[in-house]
Amino acid sequence: MIIGNTKPLEQILSMVEPFDRIVVAGCYGCVTVCRVGGDKEVQVLASALRLARAAAGRPLDVREVTLERQCDPEYVETMRPYVGDYQGVLSLACGAGVQFLAERLTASPILPAIDTTFIGVTERQGEWAERCQACGDCVLHTTGGICPVTRCSKSIFHGPCGGSMSGHCEIAKEVPCGWQLIIDRLRALGRMDQYEKLRPLKNWRSSRDGGPRRIIREDLTQ
Amino acid sequence: MILKAFENGADGVMVVGCLEGDCHYLVGNIRARRRVERVARILAQTGIGAQRVRMVNLSAGEGAKFVSHAAEFDDHIRELGPSPINVVRSKAAAVPAAAQAERPGGPGGPGGPGGPGALRTEAAREQR
């Protein structure tokens, strides 16, 4: 899922400073699961904004709403009937959701309340870690299900670098060496032949090269 | 819920959980404490003041202790005075009231919830 982090309240307050009536919009997708943008977080942020503004003597009228997803048009459209009654929308969705609101609700300023951080997993309650950089050319079948692009701090593709020490990355002791993880896993699976295979250079054209990416599925388009 | 209490004019909120290690919901009171700490951070950031929320742990049989905690918290909040929101609201309410008072026969004086000195201490039992 997409993982995010709530922006500092001070920053959010300065974003909404010009406004007296706003919508605070959450999303029931990824940001609900990583606890930054669901119903509860909408309520907490809306309360915090109202408190801060009331204490400053400039009350803020906040409408609280949580969409099924902010990255699908049918749910964004549910905001259209009332969004014009407000001066802006503070979105707790990921960057995709914020941009999609901005694209469709063109008359309203759309403000991000969270910093979208990475694609990751819940390692334990309250702890999330990155697992994928969406490079567009997955090689996990050859690396024991561990991504060298994400888990190796240098995104190296052909084994550990000289900075790997006792299974740790040279950037920080608490970061495991991605390639050590890959090799340990391939050994455990009895698939070290995958590591020994020479592989062609990775095709990075599916990654950040060539501008914004797009997928068109002819079997689904109407 | 705690933030709502402040929005609705509470000057302070005391959250009472059961004794640590003795919660029917196992870690419910530990989680509650962390959430109260989060609320305190939000109150600090919003200018309301972190010291207006407090969590204490008591068993259901400690009535006398509850009373002493509540009384002590009440003193603490009275010392802090009304929450900044109530100060702003009472000032805003005082302006039209004063204008009305100037009119012959008009009712005068502030009042109603949120006025200066209005103290609401809300003790919420987080877990039984």
Side-chain angles (χ1 to χ4, degrees), chain B residues 47-64:
Chain B
I48 309 299
Q51 62 278 48
R52 292 184 182 275
V53 67
R54 179 183 291 178
M55 177 154 181
V56 295
N57 295 86
L58 294 167
S59 86
E62 294 180 305

Side-chain angles (χ1 to χ4, degrees), chain A residues 121-154:
Chain A
V121 297
T122 310
E123 283 194 336
R124 52 191 68 82
Q125 169 96 3
E127 206 172 321
W128 294 272
E130 186 170 20
R131 287 292 186 274
C132 178
Q133 290 192 13
C135 73
D137 180 23
C138 193
V139 296
L140 288 168
H141 57 296
T142 65
T143 56
I146 294 162
C147 175
V149 178
T150 311
R151 306 299 296 276
C152 168
S153 304
K154 299 175 183 173

Side-chain angles (χ1 to χ4, degrees), chain A residues 137-215:
Chain A
D137 180 23
C138 193
V139 296
L140 288 168
H141 57 296
T142 65
T143 56
I146 294 162
C147 175
V149 178
T150 311
R151 306 299 296 276
C152 168
S153 304
K154 299 175 183 173
S155 299
I156 286 175
F157 248 81
H158 298 84
C161 72
S164 176
M165 287 273 289
S166 315
H168 297 283
C169 176
E170 65 182 334
I171 66 153
K173 270 186 192 160
E174 65 275 10
V175 177
C177 166
W179 272 100
Q180 187 71 53
L181 295 174
I182 292 170
I183 290 164
D184 290 348
R185 175 89 175 128
L186 288 175
R187 268 204 191 111
L189 292 170
R191 301 197 71 197
M192 273 302 279
D193 57 307
Q194 295 290 322
Y195 178 60
E196 317 239 328
K197 266 186 198 163
L198 281 177
R199 65 181 94 207
L201 291 174
K202 180 175 162 57
N203 179 3
W204 287 101
R205 278 187 297 180
S206 56
S207 186
R208 292 310 313 151
D209 185 55
R213 292 170 280 182
R214 175 177 289 269
I215 293 172

Side-chain angles (χ1 to χ4, degrees), chain A residues 62-114:
Chain A
V62 180
R63 177 170 181 150
E64 301 170 23
V65 62
T66 305
L67 305 188
E68 195 59 39
R69 283 187 296 279
Q70 289 191 21
C71 54
D72 273 322
E74 57 267 45
Y75 304 116
V76 174
E77 287 305 315
T78 62
M79 289 182 72
R80 195 176 294 282
Y82 59 82
V83 74
D85 300 336
Y86 296 84
Q87 295 161 309
V89 179
L90 184 62
S91 165
L92 283 82
C94 68
V98 173
Q99 290 183 65
F100 210 41
L101 290 191
E103 269 174 62
R104 302 191 74 90
L105 307 173
T106 49
S108 302
I110 314 290
L111 319 164
I114 74 167

Side-chain angles (χ1 to χ4, degrees), chain A residues 16-22 53 58-62 86-87:
Chain A
V16 302
E17 203 280 325
F19 307 126
D20 299 314
R21 285 169 62 74
I22 61 161
R53 287 287 293 266
R58 256 195 75 206
L60 182 68
D61 181 9
V62 180
Y86 296 84
Q87 295 161 309

